[in-house]
């Protein structure tokens, strides 16, 4: 069984996080571990609909409480293929950059960095100020991959759903899981 940790924060783009969970659920041999921040629950309700947080929890194999610092994913001995923070708020990005592991999302991200495992942060904010950029540089220097949800248009998306699908698939592909890639490739 290959484990993937998925975290969702309060940044806009909650539908991408839900789609990541849906796509991971279709991959054989993948076990997902989910952590939602309180702000993520609010954003899910607003952007996806009432009950979306519960839907996300049901899509995951295991759902962890944000304040459960003793959860399995808080330890380097818990093997995983990587972690996706989709979407990643600037607050969470800054906490990861500063090593401020005061909740399970930041602690699990910190574990992925120290264990040299894939950590993909779908940092969601615009425009960016210098502090945001410095935090992105800091986490990149530590080994994370910063993937703002910038849509590709070469595949001629006809709907927001197709844009969400492509972004979710690209984020998953960055983990290098067996059976990929999920995203439509550019063929020239």
């Amino acid at each position: 069984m290959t484990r993937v940790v998925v975290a969702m924060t309060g940044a806009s783009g909650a539908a991408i996080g839900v789609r990541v969970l849906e796509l991971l659920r279709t991959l054989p041999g993948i076990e997902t571990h989910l952590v939602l921040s309180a702000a993520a629950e609010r954003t899910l309700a607003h952007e996806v609909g009432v009950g979306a947080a519960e839907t996300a929890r049901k899509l995951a194999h295991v759902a962890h409480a944000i304040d459960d610092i003793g959860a399995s994913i808080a330890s380097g001995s818990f093997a995983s293929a990587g972690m996706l923070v989709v979407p990643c708020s600037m607050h969470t990005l800054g906490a990861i950059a500063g090593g401020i592991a005061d909740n399970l999302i930041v602690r699990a991200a910190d574990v992925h960095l120290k264990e040299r495992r894939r950590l993909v942060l779908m940092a969601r904010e615009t425009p960016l100020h210098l502090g945001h950029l410095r935090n992105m540089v800091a986490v990149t220097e530590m080994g994370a991959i910063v993937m703002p949800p910038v849509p590709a248009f070469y595949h001629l998306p006809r709907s927001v759903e197709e844009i969400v699908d492509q972004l979710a698939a690209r984020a998953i592909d960055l983990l290098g899981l067996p059976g990929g890639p999920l995203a439509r490739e550019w063929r020239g």
Side-chain angles (χ1 to χ4, degrees):
M1 183 66 63
T2 301
R3 299 167 175 148
V4 174
V5 177
V6 178
M8 296 176 68
T9 69
S12 187
I16 304 167
V18 172
R19 188 64 180 134
V20 161
L21 289 166
E22 289 171 346
L23 289 172
L24 287 170
R25 195 63 140 145
T26 68
L27 300 177
I30 301 294
E31 177 183 283
T32 54
H33 288 254
L34 175 67
V35 186
L36 298 175
S37 72
E41 293 193 33
R42 183 174 181 168
T43 304
L44 278 159
H46 179 74
E47 293 183 357
V48 181
V50 176
E54 190 55 35
T55 298
R57 285 186 188 94
K58 287 179 182 174
L59 285 167
H61 294 89
V62 180
H64 301 276
I66 185 76
D67 60 350
D68 186 5
I69 295 297
S72 57
I73 62 173
S75 173
S77 66
F78 181 85
S80 79
M83 178 176 180
L84 301 160
V85 184
V86 181
C88 182
S89 67
M90 290 298 115
H91 177 269
T92 300
L93 175 72
I96 294 167
I100 305 167
D102 62 350
N103 67 49
L104 186 56
I105 292 174
V106 181
R107 175 61 188 156
D110 194 65
V111 165
H112 280 78
L113 290 173
K114 78 180 186 72
E115 298 294 330
R116 306 297 192 257
R117 297 181 189 144
R118 289 282 171 106
L119 173 62
V120 178
L121 306 174
M122 192 173 280
R124 181 39 210 110
E125 187 59 80
T126 191
L128 301 168
H129 62 62
L130 186 56
H132 298 148
L133 296 169
R134 285 185 175 149
N135 285 334
M136 288 181 188
V137 169
V139 296
T140 300
E141 288 173 341
M142 288 186 254
I145 299 169
V146 178
M147 182 197 164
V150 178
F153 293 98
Y154 60 82
H155 64 285
L156 306 174
R158 295 181 305 272
S159 67
V160 172
E161 289 78 18
E162 288 183 5
I163 292 170
V164 167
D165 285 350
Q166 180 73 1
L167 289 168
R170 281 282 292 131
I172 293 167
D173 286 348
L174 288 171
L175 296 180
L177 299 173
L182 299 176
R184 189 179 328 168
E185 295 177 327
W186 172 250
R187 302 228 184 245

